[in-house]
Amino acid sequence: MQYYSTNQQAPKADLKEAVVRGLAPDKGLHMPEQLPVFSSAFFEQLHNLSLQEIGAEVAKCFFGDSVDNKALKQIAEETLNFEIPLVKLSEQIFSLELFHGPTCAFKDVGGRFMARMLAYFTQNEQQDIYVLTATSGDTGSAVASGFFNVPGIKVIILYPKGKVSHIQEQQLTTHGHNITALEVDGTFDDCQKLVKEAFNTEGLRKKLKLTSANSINLARFLPQAIYYYHAVAQLGKTDKKIVFSVPSGNFGNLTAGIFAWNSGLPVHKFIAATNVNDIVPQYLETGIFSPKHSIKTLANAMDVGNPSNFVRMLEIFEHQHDKMAEMVKGFSLDDEGIQKYMQLIYEKHQYIADPHGAIGYAALDQQLQENEVGIFLETAHPAKFIDITEKVLQREVPIPERLGAYLKKKKEAVPLKADFNAFQDYLYSIS
Ligand SMILES: *Cc1c(COP(=O)(O)O)cnc(C)c1O
């Protein structure tokens, strides 16, 4: 399989090139030349397959012509060594719990897969590889945990100062070894911009081998398709139409779901569930894509004003607004609504949702039709946002042990101005 750039100004790349460099040389995002399609035999079998079996099949279909089969199976199995259960809240609404991995957010799936695939592709490299990662809270820790102590790889995380939760900050800043956290005096969009600019600076790229672990990287966003198949497998046979509600920020998660649907998975529609950073819901309504500065909300991992994977969605739907709007519905919820729904979900189902998952639930609550069944992606463990969860629900939220361990460690972060020259100086200083 070859991968083209969404900007159409760069030569096609093979998988290794696309994964190692992250962004295409013309600043576009890589897309597979053909969208993978599964055999009907796979879907007939789906209900009988385990998460790891589905993972291995999906990885083979997406990446099988570029990675040795045995290695790929191992990458998928190691990535998916935790459960992703589908939990029933009511006859019509299910929660796909994506927080059972090491850092308690769905980004563990992509982060772990990408770390392993990058290590596979670079095992014979002499030079260290620098993985630059801008994070709104959860990506950084998933990537850090995935790459921790991997020889030859150094991870640099940029996170917005004061805009991630305390637990998230501890998860970003306490690894040490090959992981460095930069505390950027700015927003997530500033962090993302610094990373993009670093890639576009030739002098820097000559000196340092850079890659990105944001969802612009194929090896990170595509494997997320796996759990959409796994959700349908767990749902079992149903005559209802399946709706996925996806709490979204940069739209990597939702785009992976669209790949799964396009490959033949029976999905009736997707809901792009956002907080007040509603750029994509606005587009779906008006046909106009108009990025803005991000606004800080209680669902901070989705505070994104210029969602990077939107261009991939455009590609899949061939730049036709009506095609996308038919398959993807918009939904947005403000902070007051988030709190209201967290309470409602708890009262109605005795279920503690995190602020992001609560938006996903709210979208189903308001949009599901009678002949539909809804699955919202519960993208993080509520304890990652313990301050707000406890305040809103007026009860204690238990912290999983793997999360609590981070709280006991000492924060180490390098302060950085949201200024490219400062970032560049820093990168030169460590090389
Ligand atoms: C990153 C994140 C999201 C948004 O995912 P995208 O793929 O960027 O749309 C939603 N919820 C949580 C908890 C996250 O960490």
Side-chain angles (χ1 to χ4, degrees), residues 105-107 136-139 168 215 220 224 246-254 301-302 304 309 354 356-357 379-380 385:
F106 80 93
K107 297 199 170 78
S136 58
D138 293 326
T139 293
Q168 284 178 324
S215 50
R220 223 202 89 192
Q224 297 174 156
V246 188
S248 295
N250 252 330
F251 282 80
N253 207 2
L254 182 61
M302 312 192 324
V304 181
N309 283 291
D354 94 292
H356 307 79
T379 46
F385 308 94

Side-chain angles (χ1 to χ4, degrees), residues 117-172:
M117 188 173 258
L118 195 62
Y120 169 83
F121 278 137
T122 59
Q123 51 197 328
N124 300 319
E125 294 277 341
Q126 302 300 320
Q127 211 184 340
D128 278 347
I129 296 196
Y130 287 82
V131 180
L132 303 185
T133 305
T135 183
S136 58
D138 293 326
T139 293
S141 52
V143 168
S145 150
F147 281 105
F148 186 63
N149 273 343
V150 174
I153 293 185
K154 301 230 161 76
V155 176
I156 297 173
I157 297 166
L158 294 84
Y159 74 97
K161 178 180 173 175
K163 294 185 183 68
V164 301
S165 77
H166 176 59
I167 289 189
Q168 284 178 324
E169 183 167 42
Q170 289 295 113
Q171 287 185 292
L172 296 171

